[in-house]
Amino acid sequence: RYVKEAATSSCNFEGSSPLSTQNSSSRRTPHPETGRPIRERSRRILSIANMSLRRVAVMGSGKIGRACAFFLQRSGSYDVTSLDHEGANLYWIKDNIPGASTRKVSFTDANAMAKALEGHDAVLAAGPFWHNPMIAEVCKRVGAHYLDLTEDVSVTQKVKELAGGAGTAFIPQCGLAPGFITIAGYNLAKSLDTVQDLRLRVGALPRFPSNALKYNLTWSTSGLINEYIQPCEAIVNGKLISVPPLENLEHCTIEGLELESFNTSGGLGTLAETLNGRIGTLDYKTLRFPGHRDILKLLLNDLGYAKDPEGLGRVFERSIPATDQDQVAVFVSCTGEKNGRLLERTYAKIIRHREIGGVPWTAIQITTASGACCVLDLLMEGKLPQKGFVRNEEVEWDDFIGNRRVFWRVRACLCMRVRALGACRQMRGMWGVRACLLAHTRTHTFTLSLAHSIHPPHTFTLTHAREHTYILCIYMHIYVHNLTQKREQVRRKFCRRERPIRARPPRRRDWGGRGPQRADDSHVRRL
């Protein structure tokens, strides 16, 4: 269906039908790398495939940084460089992310970072949050887009000041919370005429808690403690105020999990400033298993670790084990009026750890890195402002949640065309027709390796789902058809063809003296 529609649409090239199988040897040109003659159709594909990749630098290759580098590099849309001051983290990048570059650099040396970031289109800061202001300054100097994952309010304020007058975009807090949770909450708020109450809840939890805290370390320890001790923003009775952390304890149930929630810092991002004066109540709380908040209050308030966060961090890393078996709980509830009727709309989901691309990833890595990579995709596609300070509320929910979803349509369509044209497993292995799907969830970039037409494999980036789906199906139809003919030639050359066995009718004797004759075989011919 896709190919038939494309044959009569504007996807045709030079006025000829893309399904034509006429011999085009007269238009063959040498391949730019191998020198082999290639057809005009191959030349057209090369012109699309040779588009340059976006250069992206990921500052920090810890738990979240390596996930961002992995997803971006495997998407096929980016040329990723991972920068860190620890060699052990860079060794992991070299061993697990083929094609990614690594460079050791100190985050406290602005000149060294400027030299390393020169020529990059975007920089994703995934290291310790206190280094982000200097990284943002370097990005402004070298003219690169800036993104980070921090939840620290003071760091975000410094980045906002640096974004003034910048020629590139500065997008802080584009991870999970803030990030995805604020995009989801703002989308629910926009769906109602008037909003009374908006509650945001997120928690990174172990799947099998076994200690008194009922918690395991799954992400940055310094970031975890920072959200426990910093003041929190909230809107109460229509006014933006600051509330203390670890207060306003609540209990809730999400997909059978009994959880508690309490105030923590930074989860709202810029949403509180955006909705100030337009909403009655807005707050963000962290989800934990029951009993976690009481132990934290003992450690921070009674034992005085609120004044010594580094000491508490050493205690946590020495006493609380990390885990790869975790889950992230997300809960957004919005109450308001729609067409004069009081409604409540809710978004709730639990994401668990899984294996992607042969590498096990925790749930907090998947959710945080996916949010940042999606925002970077939208920025590169021009769906976000290209300069100045960009808020998470400017990200459209449909664009965010549908990012790279066309990948599944393309994969399904290509698989149908390959099956319909007889491209069986033997032919794919013999002639090298492979659709290598290189990406994380909902990617729209893949590599099409055609061993007898294009060397080496090239990457196609889909920007318009419908049009490029047609074009790629046309290319697959042409090449699979040509390779099927090639396979038939090889079969005729090397495979012995057996002659069909025709039925021989019984012989009968002609008693008229004319001797034995063959019976009438007209019925055999008709058969």
Side-chain angles (χ1 to χ4, degrees):
R1 178 172 61 86
Y2 286 121
V3 176
K4 186 180 299 183
E5 293 178 4
T8 59
S9 67
S10 60
C11 295
N12 296 351
F13 296 98
E14 300 178 4
S16 61
S17 173
L19 302 182
S20 175
T21 58
Q22 296 178 359
N23 186 12
S24 58
S25 59
S26 60
R27 296 184 297 173
R28 293 187 179 184
T29 57
H31 193 278
E33 297 183 8
T34 63
R36 294 177 52 187
I38 59 175
R39 296 186 177 183
E40 182 68 15
R41 301 187 187 99
S42 302
R43 187 184 63 78
R44 294 169 187 157
I45 294 180
L46 286 174
S47 64
I48 299 176
N50 288 329
M51 294 184 297
S52 60
L53 302 179
R54 298 281 191 171
R55 295 192 64 193
V56 176
V58 179
M59 306 295 292
S61 53
K63 296 177 181 178
I64 307 300
R66 65 182 56 175
C68 294
F70 183 87
F71 293 157
L72 292 174
Q73 182 66 33
R74 283 185 62 89
S75 71
S77 303
Y78 302 98
D79 181 12
V80 178
T81 302
S82 182
L83 298 94
D84 205 315
H85 63 279
E86 294 186 7
N89 292 335
L90 297 179
Y91 289 142
W92 189 96
I93 300 292
K94 293 179 181 179
D95 295 339
N96 295 274
I97 309 180
S101 305
T102 58
R103 186 164 182 173
K104 190 173 182 179
V105 64
S106 174
F107 293 163
T108 59
D109 189 346
N111 294 329
M113 285 193 295
K115 184 178 180 180
L117 297 179
E118 190 70 34
H120 286 80
D121 299 304
V123 176
L124 176 57
F129 64 89
W130 54 83
H131 293 308
N132 289 356
M134 180 174 290
I135 297 175
E137 292 180 5
V138 174
C139 290
K140 186 175 182 179
R141 186 197 310 179
V142 300
H145 298 296
Y146 170 84
L147 302 90
D148 69 32
L149 311 170
T150 184
E151 73 286 342
D152 189 81
V153 178
S154 60
V155 170
T156 302
Q157 187 62 31
K158 295 178 182 178
V159 173
K160 184 178 180 180
E161 295 173 359
L162 289 171
T168 55
F170 284 72
I171 315 177
Q173 301 179 325
C174 55
L176 171 62
F180 169 76
I181 190 67
T182 53
I183 297 173
Y186 191 64
N187 175 69
L188 290 183
K190 291 191 301 182
S191 66
L192 300 176
D193 298 333
T194 59
V195 183
Q196 299 178 1
D197 188 13
L198 179 59
R199 298 180 294 165
L200 311 180
R201 309 287 186 264
V202 174
L205 309 166
R207 291 200 63 190
F208 312 105
S210 60
N211 50 32
L213 271 175
K214 299 180 181 179
Y215 189 77
N216 292 100
L217 298 179
T218 57
W219 61 294
S220 170
T221 306
S222 58
L224 174 69
I225 298 175
N226 183 71
E227 70 175 15
Y228 286 156
I229 62 177
Q230 295 296 328
C232 314
E233 291 182 332
I235 296 179
V236 179
N237 296 327
K239 297 182 179 180
L240 179 60
I241 63 173
S242 178
V243 295
L246 306 181
E247 299 298 334
N248 299 332
L249 183 67
E250 296 178 352
H251 291 83
C252 61
T253 301
I254 303 177
E255 294 188 11
L257 289 179
E258 296 288 340
L259 303 172
E260 67 179 19
S261 60
F262 48 87
N263 293 340
T264 53
S265 174
L268 290 179
T270 59
L271 185 61
E273 183 179 348
T274 301
L275 295 180
N276 187 20
R278 301 164 52 188
I279 189 173
T281 303
L282 170 65
D283 60 5
Y284 169 83
K285 297 181 181 181
T286 291
L287 295 169
R288 294 289 186 264
F289 286 110
H292 182 89
R293 195 281 306 254
D294 295 336
I295 299 178
L296 283 180
K297 295 189 71 172
L298 170 66
L299 293 173
L300 295 173
N301 299 336
D302 299 340
L303 299 183
Y305 275 110
K307 301 178 181 178
D308 185 18
E310 296 181 358
L312 182 60
R314 289 191 295 269
V315 172
F316 276 5
E317 293 179 353
R318 182 178 67 248
S319 306
I320 301 178
T323 182
D324 295 332
Q325 299 172 307
D326 69 331
Q327 54 191 343
V328 171
V330 178
F331 178 84
V332 183
S333 176
C334 184
T335 304
E337 292 186 0
K338 181 71 173 181
N339 298 327
R341 181 184 179 187
L342 184 64
L343 293 177
E344 180 180 5
R345 293 183 174 177
T346 303
Y347 177 89
K349 192 175 185 63
I350 290 184
I351 303 94
R352 294 181 173 85
H353 63 96
R354 55 175 296 192
E355 182 177 300
I356 301 176
V359 180
W361 301 100
T362 63
I364 190 65
Q365 286 177 310
I366 295 172
T367 52
T368 306
S370 297
C373 294
C374 181
V375 173
L376 180 59
D377 274 347
L378 299 180
L379 178 64
M380 293 294 103
E381 293 175 6
K383 296 182 179 180
L384 294 177
Q386 299 298 302
K387 61 181 180 179
F389 186 77
V390 182
R391 304 171 184 267
N392 287 321
E393 299 83 76
E394 299 182 47
V395 179
E396 293 293 336
W397 170 259
D398 293 336
D399 294 336
F400 184 90
I401 206 67
N403 184 51
R404 295 181 178 264
R405 182 173 290 181
V406 66
F407 160 78
W408 301 110
R409 296 215 308 263
V410 172
R411 185 179 74 165
C413 186
L414 290 180
C415 291
M416 287 190 294
R417 295 309 305 166
V418 169
R419 294 194 190 100
L421 294 169
C424 63
R425 183 184 305 174
Q426 296 177 355
M427 192 199 73
R428 288 200 300 268
M430 185 174 184
W431 296 109
V433 180
R434 298 184 301 274
C436 305
L437 309 175
L438 308 176
H440 54 87
T441 308
R442 298 185 182 121
T443 183
H444 65 279
T445 304
F446 66 95
T447 297
L448 182 61
S449 172
L450 299 167
H452 276 260
S453 303
I454 303 177
H455 296 276
H458 292 284
T459 301
F460 295 85
T461 303
L462 307 186
T463 56
H464 303 288
R466 189 177 183 86
E467 176 182 354
H468 286 273
T469 301
Y470 293 159
I471 295 175
L472 287 172
C473 291
I474 292 169
Y475 289 148
M476 280 299 295
H477 184 283
I478 293 170
Y479 282 109
V480 171
H481 180 78
N482 293 343
L483 295 179
T484 305
Q485 291 182 339
K486 191 72 174 180
R487 182 189 177 211
E488 181 66 19
Q489 295 176 5
V490 174
R491 191 184 67 81
R492 291 177 181 177
K493 181 176 180 180
F494 295 102
C495 300
R496 182 170 62 90
R497 299 181 60 185
E498 297 181 358
R499 294 181 178 179
I501 300 177
R502 298 182 60 183
R504 298 175 65 93
R507 300 176 69 89
R508 65 177 177 83
R509 182 175 296 276
D510 185 3
W511 297 103
R514 290 177 294 179
Q517 293 182 357
R518 187 182 301 273
D520 183 17
D521 58 352
S522 59
H523 67 285
V524 177
R525 290 195 298 269
R526 288 194 299 271
L527 179 62

